[in-house]
Amino acid sequence: MSSLPLITAQTEEKLLAFLTEHGHTKFRAQQVLDWVWRKRVTTFDAMINLPPALKNLLAEHFRFHTPEIVEIHGSADTTRKFLTKMEDGSLVESVIIPAAVAENGEKSERVTLCVSSQVGCAFGCKFCASGLLGLKRHLTTGEIIGQILSAETIAEKRVNNIVFMGMGEPLSNFDNLADALEIITSHRGLEIGARHITISTSGFVPGLKKLAAYPRQIRLAVSLHGATDEVRDQIMPVNKKWPLSQLIPALEEWSRGRNQMPTLEYILIRDINDSPKDASHLVRIAKRLHAKVNLIPYNTVEGLPWKRPSEERCRSFRDAVHKARIPVTMRYEKGHDINAACGQLRLRKEQEKNGSTPR
Ligand code: SAH
Ligand code: SF4
């Protein structure tokens, strides 16, 4: 594994700083970015309009690399999940979801990619496969971007919608995330609009504060999953450190001045958070935050005790939220049959490797 930094992990600002330091102009930086992102070359030699000395300089300081895809799982609904191997052997999973039909009935061109931000996760939510093995490490900017590049080779299409809902807590890897966001949104990068990017957080308040100060209009989803401290404490250790009395004001701070509403993600887990009373607590928080609610009937994880409520129970929960005039959707995980809740594929693979079972 070469230690040179990846060219695909350089923000425009960083590349420009490097080139000006070496006596090159801004125009050269633009040419290089054009080769990398528009023309998608994978060698410096291919950048034929650059002087040889510049090509050599780039090759001495940077390299190209797209992470290797080691497993692809397709499902009947065309969602595909894949495991990517990073250069240190770490396994990371991403999900690609082409939307066939848009809400207005027209065929949509949307290609959504769910990316991971860390290998594993330190937050240890009790229902989640990603947290089961703890945090191995942060993903680098290049590895976050690498998932997009690898996915595009599978999809044979450009990804135009990105959700940070894979493994890991993106806001606890803020610096690498911020550089990745620059590259993803830049006109001289992947050029995906900020409004087509969603960051999901379990409620890591220090990271939310940084995101509140971040200038771009990235969408925010909050994995609430419980609308009282009692429920959240039971399933999400993060709540012990940053309870609702801190999380809600941090979300208000994020909303202020940006004219955007967060989405509250709420997994429905049988007998944990699915009662009419839970629905009314959720409505209260959603009203206060002017938030939308996205209900997700729980996907069972092997080795964990949690169960999905009956369809009827899920529907009546949704109806209660809807009656309170909160915009609500209920999404049965696409690709339930391929362990689509992120973290499950890697968990299984790591278990196969170690011959272990989850706690
Ligand atoms: N760490 C961030 C980003 C990961 S998003 C966060 O928690 O928000 C992954 C989403 O999938 C989260 O909303 C998470 O709570 C949810 N999830 C985890 N395990 C799940 C399961 N078994 N079934 C359904 N959703 C699950
Ligand atoms: Fe980590 Fe999110 Fe899973 Fe919680 S739900 S363990 S924060 S990935």
Side-chain angles (χ1 to χ4, degrees):
M1 172 178 162
S2 159
S3 57
L4 290 181
L6 295 175
I7 190 75
T8 45
Q10 306 308 308
T11 60
E12 185 173 355
E13 197 185 332
K14 285 187 175 163
L15 184 65
L16 189 58
F18 169 83
L19 288 176
T20 44
E21 192 189 312
H22 289 81
H24 292 281
T25 58
K26 189 172 179 177
F27 173 65
R28 291 297 186 200
Q30 291 170 1
Q31 279 184 312
V32 174
L33 291 168
D34 191 56
W35 281 113
V36 174
W37 298 112
R38 294 265 149 77
K39 306 199 179 82
R40 298 289 176 100
V41 297
T42 53
T43 64
F44 295 107
D45 254 353
M47 301 182 175
I48 51 175
N49 57 1
L50 300 188
L54 176 53
K55 286 196 257 187
N56 288 341
L57 176 76
L58 289 167
E60 277 161 21
H61 289 86
F62 300 102
R63 68 195 168 103
F64 283 91
H65 174 76
T66 306
E68 181 196 352
I69 294 175
V70 290
E71 242 182 73
I72 305 179
H73 294 254
S75 82
D77 52 19
T78 73
T79 292
R80 269 175 298 175
K81 179 157 192 155
F82 53 96
L83 265 183
T84 310
K85 199 187 210 162
M86 298 302 158
E87 288 173 277
D88 67 347
S90 293
L91 296 171
V92 162
E93 55 189 274
S94 331
V95 187
I96 192 156
I97 312 151
V101 184
E103 278 154 23
N104 61 8
E106 280 172 21
K107 197 168 181 319
S108 156
E109 293 303 318
R110 187 189 275 188
V111 181
T112 300
L113 183 71
C114 172
V115 292
S116 292
S117 54
Q118 297 179 313
V119 185
C121 183
F123 283 69
C125 300
K126 300 278 178 19
F127 48 81
C128 174
S130 296
L132 277 177
L133 302 171
L135 176 69
K136 188 166 166 197
R137 63 174 177 83
H138 290 318
L139 288 179
T140 62
T141 302
E143 290 170 331
I144 296 173
I145 299 289
Q147 292 169 70
I148 307 171
L149 299 176
S150 300
E152 290 186 341
T153 61
I154 298 180
E156 295 173 3
K157 277 191 196 127
R158 293 278 165 99
V159 168
N160 53 23
N161 199 54
I162 294 183
V163 296
F164 283 85
M165 295 188 178
M167 277 195 297
E169 169 52 53
L171 294 184
S172 70
N173 184 14
F174 199 87
D175 293 345
N176 293 345
L177 173 74
D179 274 2
L181 290 175
E182 284 308 304
I183 294 166
I184 294 168
T185 53
S186 165
H187 290 313
R188 295 202 174 85
L190 286 164
E191 213 179 0
I192 300 175
R195 287 174 181 279
H196 296 274
I197 301 167
T198 304
I199 290 177
S200 179
T201 179
S202 60
F204 179 55
V205 169
L208 262 173
K209 292 192 170 165
K210 287 190 195 165
L211 193 68
Y214 186 75
R216 299 195 193 277
Q217 302 275 308
I218 309 283
R219 290 180 191 271
L220 178 64
V222 184
S223 295
L224 197 66
H225 308 333
T228 60
D229 281 330
E230 200 188 340
V231 174
R232 270 179 64 89
D233 278 349
Q234 198 184 341
I235 53 178
M236 302 178 77
V238 65
N239 197 69
K240 298 234 166 86
K241 201 147 184 197
W242 294 285
L244 291 170
S245 58
Q246 291 191 38
L247 175 58
I248 293 172
L251 292 171
E252 286 173 326
E253 183 186 328
W254 174 85
S255 296
R256 222 173 286 135
R258 62 175 64 232
N259 199 18
Q260 275 182 298
M261 310 302 162
T263 300
L264 302 178
E265 303 277 332
Y266 195 99
I267 304 179
L268 287 162
I269 310 177
R270 189 189 295 179
D271 298 333
I272 298 291
N273 63 2
D274 61 342
S275 73
K277 200 149 188 154
D278 290 309
S280 69
H281 288 305
L282 176 60
V283 163
R284 218 175 33 234
I285 294 181
K287 282 211 164 124
R288 178 163 165 194
L289 293 171
H290 305 285
K292 294 181 279 193
V293 167
N294 188 19
L295 300 173
I296 311 143
Y298 184 64
N299 257 320
T300 353
V301 176
E302 216 183 298
L304 294 183
W306 320 100
K307 291 199 171 63
R308 177 182 279 200
S310 68
E311 257 189 78
E312 194 192 333
R313 185 112 166 139
C314 292
R315 252 186 264 120
S316 53
F317 193 98
R318 182 199 53 202
D319 292 347
V321 178
H322 179 73
K323 269 205 198 96
R325 287 198 248 124
I326 305 291
V328 57
T329 49
M330 185 156 75
R331 151 171 76 94
Y332 274 88
E333 282 292 339
K334 285 193 178 177
H336 190 47
D337 52 332
I338 53 160
N339 299 333
C342 262
Q344 298 189 35
L345 208 57
R346 168 174 172 260
L347 180 68
R348 199 187 47 31
K349 192 91 180 165
E350 295 284 353
Q351 283 163 359
E352 276 167 20
K353 249 183 6 203
N354 305 333
S356 64
T357 45
R359 63 164 192 250

